[in-house]
Amino acid sequence: MKSPILSRGAPPSLKRWSAALPRPRLPTAKLALTTLALLLLSFLFGLLALSGSLVQVGLGAAMVIGPLLLMLPELTVWIILVSGMLLGILSSNPHMGKLTWSVSLLSILLLLPSIMNVLWTRQRRLPSFMQVALLFLVFCVCSTAFRGGGLQEFLAGFKRYFQTFGLMLALTAIVFRPSAIDNWRKFLVLVGLLQFPFALYELLILVPKRGGLASGSDATDVVAGTFGANIGGGSPNAVMVIYLFITMAFLAARWRAGLLRPAVFYALTFVCLLPLGMGETKVAVVMLPLVGLSLLRPDLLKAPLRYAPAILGLGLLTCLLGYLYVVVMMHSNLSEVIDKTLRYNVGNQGYSQGQILNRLTSFTFWFTQQRWDDPVGFLIGNGLGSSYSSLTSVSGHLGVKYMHYGINLTAASTLLWDTGLVGLALFVSVFVLAWLSAGRLYRHSEDAAVKADALAIQAAITLFMLSIVYADSIVNLVGMEMIYALVLGYLGYLMQQQGLLGKRAAPAPHRTIG
């Protein structure tokens, strides 16, 4: 069986050389070695099965299944999408929480064929932001090796940081059928719609178990859709909100381009809006205008007065969302909420109970702990995973030293401790360059669907930039990393199809929903 990756990515000379090779019968010695290897593997998997550890059994199976799935890249991506976007609903079950590890394992495996395709053919090129992303990966590995962190700490940190990089590269570097891309787009819209029934279940069933609506955000943060409702607290509800806003951005951009019927757009957007009022994610009040202004930016620059009603409507919707959070969900008033929000975000109060730092002080605290006799640590950090702190899993050496401080509260502070100022600059540069690349795609493309998607991608990137200073999920949680990997990978795919990377590829047909 020929690999669909190698057959489409390998140069013609390599294909001719491979076809010309003789096909001798397997020698007896090789047959014996192969049989012995199979017997040893069978013995190994028998021991893993007897261990009773689902993690060890899963890793053993991945050694065999993983390479086989690389021969079927579309199926691999489907498994990653379903596992990463839907199986988070099982994370509250301690016996099922490790199922999402399949995303990390398969995505990391996709790094190999992606890089091979880029090296073997001139038709596949990586955009500048992906090149910087790979540079960031190499920098993190080298800086961690230089700083001499522990192997277990490094492996855990590498998994958290780069568990979706392979998916991002594969969407650009591997030649997928246009129909597959189209099906993945529809599936991701379906994921956005599925947030409503799961969020409703969490609101009606799980929130009362945590004290009900009267308990405020301590209870309602369990509303996280399919991204993982943790009954014990700390659910990624903000990740669900970000995904819903990105879904609505793509729908709105295509609707404004005339590619989506108004009735379909209104129905889909209404379903996506419903979960926003079920949880308590105040940052949504900031996200909504950011997304709206990003989508309207080209038209606002041309005719600002013409779009004044749209800006007014956006403002009214933002006020309505703020009213839901302040009055309905928090049973408070605006002045009290603003005062409380400022205290635990930029004041002297810790972000949560038992935590010393907040979003601002987690950033400034890093500067106060830097020493003049350690400029290397200032520039390249202390190694991947060093700042991670957890009461349920292995913490990094700095996470143990500053336990209960919250030094890894945001991605910005985490990157500073782990990778230093250089690492933070490289990570931010990935999104800055991606935003500029989406703008270039918008200007050069004549396809209405591509132009609409380019605007939506820019809106999504503004939320990613906000996420860097809002939480650590973009360098820690597989759900959030899946979202940015899909957006940036799709951007790379569109640039490839529009001839903005290397040799021009045939444009893929774009279908509309509804």
Side-chain angles (χ1 to χ4, degrees), residues 106-125:
L106 293 177
S107 181
I108 291 175
L109 280 175
L110 282 176
L111 280 172
L112 178 61
S114 301
I115 295 175
M116 289 171 65
N117 256 23
V118 173
L119 295 176
W120 280 5
T121 173
R122 296 181 179 179
Q123 291 184 338
R124 313 306 290 182
R125 286 289 182 267

Side-chain angles (χ1 to χ4, degrees), residues 3 5 8 31 46 80 89 106 157 208 247 252 265 267 306 310 383 387 407 415 455 468 488 507 509:
S3 166
I5 303 172
R8 286 177 287 191
L31 179 60
I80 292 174
I89 59 178
L106 293 177
T247 302
F265 167 70
R306 179 182 175 185
S387 67
I407 60 174
L415 284 161
L455 282 179
I468 293 175
L488 298 192

Side-chain angles (χ1 to χ4, degrees), residues 141-445:
V141 173
C142 294
S143 62
T144 302
F146 181 78
R147 295 294 285 178
L151 179 61
Q152 185 178 13
E153 180 179 289
F154 164 73
L155 292 176
F158 185 90
K159 181 260 181 187
R160 283 192 294 269
Y161 272 81
F162 303 110
Q163 56 192 332
T164 61
F165 260 47
L167 174 64
M168 179 179 69
L169 294 176
L171 291 175
T172 299
I174 295 177
V175 183
F176 291 109
R177 294 177 299 122
S179 60
I181 300 292
D182 190 57
N183 289 332
W184 293 335
R185 279 197 297 257
K186 292 178 180 178
F187 170 77
L188 293 173
V189 173
L190 176 63
V191 170
L193 300 178
L194 286 175
Q195 300 312 304
F196 167 61
F198 283 101
L200 183 63
Y201 166 80
E202 291 154 1
L203 177 66
L204 299 179
I205 305 300
L206 300 184
V207 169
K209 292 182 178 180
R210 302 191 65 204
L213 294 177
S215 301
S217 60
D218 290 338
T220 55
D221 79 340
V222 76
V223 180
T226 64
F227 289 94
N230 188 350
I231 194 67
S235 300
N237 51 345
V239 176
M240 179 193 71
V241 171
I242 288 174
Y243 185 77
L244 288 172
F245 276 128
I246 292 175
T247 302
M248 289 188 286
F250 276 91
L251 293 173
R254 290 205 166 205
W255 166 66
R256 294 187 69 242
L259 301 173
L260 201 61
R261 293 199 302 270
V264 176
F265 167 70
Y266 294 139
L268 296 178
T269 303
F270 176 73
V271 176
C272 289
L273 276 172
L274 289 175
L276 299 181
M278 296 180 183
E280 193 272 307
T281 307
K282 293 186 292 296
V283 74
V285 180
V286 178
M287 293 179 182
L288 179 59
L290 277 179
V291 171
L293 292 175
S294 295
L295 293 176
L296 293 173
R297 180 179 52 83
D299 297 320
L300 282 174
L301 294 176
K302 295 177 183 178
L305 294 179
R306 179 182 175 185
Y307 289 91
I311 299 298
L312 179 62
L314 186 64
L316 292 174
L317 188 58
T318 303
C319 292
L320 175 62
L321 195 59
Y323 175 82
L324 284 174
Y325 287 142
V326 173
V327 178
V328 178
M329 302 299 297
M330 301 183 68
H331 305 285
S332 184
N333 58 64
L334 184 61
S335 60
E336 289 180 358
V337 170
I338 291 177
D339 179 65
K340 180 181 178 181
T341 303
L342 289 177
R343 276 190 283 112
Y344 69 73
N345 278 289
V346 297
N348 294 323
Q349 179 181 324
Y351 178 73
S352 62
Q353 187 176 4
Q355 207 168 46
I356 298 175
L357 304 175
N358 57 42
R359 288 190 172 97
L360 177 63
T361 55
S362 67
F363 186 79
T364 57
F365 179 73
W366 176 81
F367 281 96
T368 65
Q369 299 302 302
Q370 302 309 300
R371 306 190 312 270
W372 289 106
D373 59 343
D374 184 25
V376 176
F378 177 80
L379 292 175
I380 68 173
N382 300 276
L384 290 180
S386 60
S387 67
Y388 184 71
S389 59
S390 173
L391 299 176
T392 58
S393 59
V394 179
S395 299
H397 66 278
L398 291 178
V400 173
K401 178 180 179 181
Y402 297 109
M403 186 66 71
H404 304 300
Y405 272 73
I407 60 174
N408 62 331
L409 181 61
T410 68
S413 62
T414 301
L415 284 161
L416 285 173
W417 284 105
D418 289 358
T419 66
L421 206 58
V422 175
L424 175 62
L426 286 173
F427 190 77
V428 172
S429 297
V430 172
F431 297 100
V432 173
L433 290 173
W435 196 91
L436 295 174
S437 297
R440 180 183 171 212
L441 178 66
Y442 177 83
R443 292 190 301 272
H444 285 79
S445 177

